[in-house]
Amino acid sequence: MDKKRHIAIFTTASLPWLTGTAVNPLFRAAYLAKDGDRKVTLVIPWLSLKHQKLVYPNNITFSSPSEQEAHVRQWLEERIPFVAHFSICFYPGKFAVDKGSILAAGDISEVIPDEEADIAILEEPEHLTWFHHGKRWKTKFRLVIGIVHTNYLEYVKREKHGRVKAFMLKYANSWVVDIYCHKVIRLSAATQDYSKSIICNVHGVNPKFLEIGLQSRRHDFTKGTYYIGKMVWSKGYKELLKLLCDHQKELAELEVDLYGSGEDSGHVQEAAKELELVVRVNPGRDHADPVFHDYKVFLNPSTTDVVCTTTAEALAMGKIVICANHPSNDFSSSFPNCRTYDNSNEFVTAARKNMEDASAYLHYVVSGLEVSRRAFGAFPGSLQPDKEQRQELGLAIPAGK
């Protein structure tokens, strides 16, 4: 009874790849280990150098697992207010270019010795077990919980013969998840339904984004509209650029900054250049980077996400979020700074409303400066009524006047 429970978290990606299955399981491990009442191990993929170059941004590579572990821990330490005591282990993985995913090589459950096997959390359980050949997870671990992150059926439907592939994948997913998981948590209703599953967003938001939001309330947003996400067409870029293309006249004053890295970066840049609107394409950055602090509006038209991490982060930072009315956004839509749309016309209405707000703010700032008022022809000293006028009209005279 004195022995601590051991939670092993297996996931399908790792930093410096800033994807949801790299970031959220890392924070999960840190916060589960925070009080010291349990032993926690995070199990992440190790890629050979040639595969690292296919996945990791900004030419970041590692010569050893210990070097990558140091990178992961430093990134985490900069984002949480406590020291997290948990272990990091690696399993061999390979990047499948055709799937845009890291796949395990061998029986990854062996990373945890049998005598330490207790509770396993499988982040993306279908992904981790499609090709599993080894000890049965439910036999090795007392409890196996699968957390479903990804709407794989929606991705597959976009491929050639997509509906046939999705039909087959649906049953393959159900088969392996049922075999290997005692319980399944779906982050939103946008995922495939499974037996023994519940819907619950168990991610949360890094407190750092809440701190940025509190700081932002002390000053006004000075930038316009942006989107951040892995730069592949299926992550919402196709939908966003189509919306902008179809409504260029209505959105003539809109300027959009896109941030992301990925295999479709070149194609996205070319498509953006063909628009009459101002759309700037930038390399990917951490969403907590100061460059994002002053943006007011976050656009996310993606319908392939299950729960979009960057949307939750933008909401926490106090930004206006414009996203599709879709099950993946059910959690986000409950917040007052979220605007959802059902069609392209509603998207335009939401975007123009925020353009109008930005224009109104600009006018407010410019009209509050004596030098700019004089430059545009305002009567000198007319920002506020003078003392004589206040007395004549019975208006309150500010203290010290």
Side-chain angles (χ1 to χ4, degrees), residues 47 71-72 155 210 213 222 227 229 246 329 339-340 397 400:
L47 302 177
H71 174 89
V72 170
Y155 282 114
L210 296 171
T222 56
Y227 175 56
D246 292 347
N329 294 319
R339 313 280 188 266
T340 60
I397 299 176

Side-chain angles (χ1 to χ4, degrees), residues 84-147:
H85 297 287
F86 65 93
S87 302
I88 295 180
C89 295
F90 291 83
Y91 66 82
K94 297 181 182 294
F95 183 70
V97 176
D98 60 323
K99 297 177 177 62
S101 301
I102 296 172
L103 299 176
D107 181 3
I108 67 173
S109 71
E110 293 180 345
V111 172
I112 304 298
D114 290 349
E115 62 274 15
E116 295 183 19
D118 185 12
I119 299 171
I121 296 176
L122 304 185
E123 312 272 357
E124 296 197 311
E126 65 283 78
H127 184 148
L128 286 170
T129 60
W130 280 326
F131 308 108
H132 176 70
H133 182 72
K135 187 170 289 187
R136 187 176 173 187
W137 289 87
K138 288 198 293 188
T139 300
K140 175 160 183 166
F141 292 90
R142 291 184 176 90
L143 177 64
V144 182
I145 301 170
I147 300 180

Side-chain angles (χ1 to χ4, degrees), residues 329-346:
N329 294 319
D330 285 348
F331 176 78
S332 300
S333 65
S334 64
F335 291 86
N337 50 326
C338 182
R339 313 280 188 266
T340 60
Y341 61 89
D342 286 299
N343 52 56
S344 62
N345 290 329
E346 290 184 5

Side-chain angles (χ1 to χ4, degrees), residues 20 26 39-40 51 72 78 85-86 91 94 106 130 139 152 173 187 211 247 256 280 287 330 353 358 373 383:
L26 176 59
K39 181 181 178 181
V40 179
H51 287 267
V72 170
E78 293 171 354
H85 297 287
F86 65 93
Y91 66 82
K94 297 181 182 294
W130 280 326
T139 300
Y152 285 109
N173 288 346
L187 295 178
E211 293 173 9
H247 298 279
V256 181
R280 293 175 284 265
H287 205 182
D330 285 348
K353 174 65 167 63
R373 293 173 65 85
L383 180 60

Side-chain angles (χ1 to χ4, degrees), residues 21-38:
T21 51
V23 173
N24 290 306
L26 176 59
F27 283 119
R28 198 182 324 285
Y31 279 88
L32 283 173
K34 181 180 180 182
D35 58 13
D37 290 342
R38 59 193 67 83

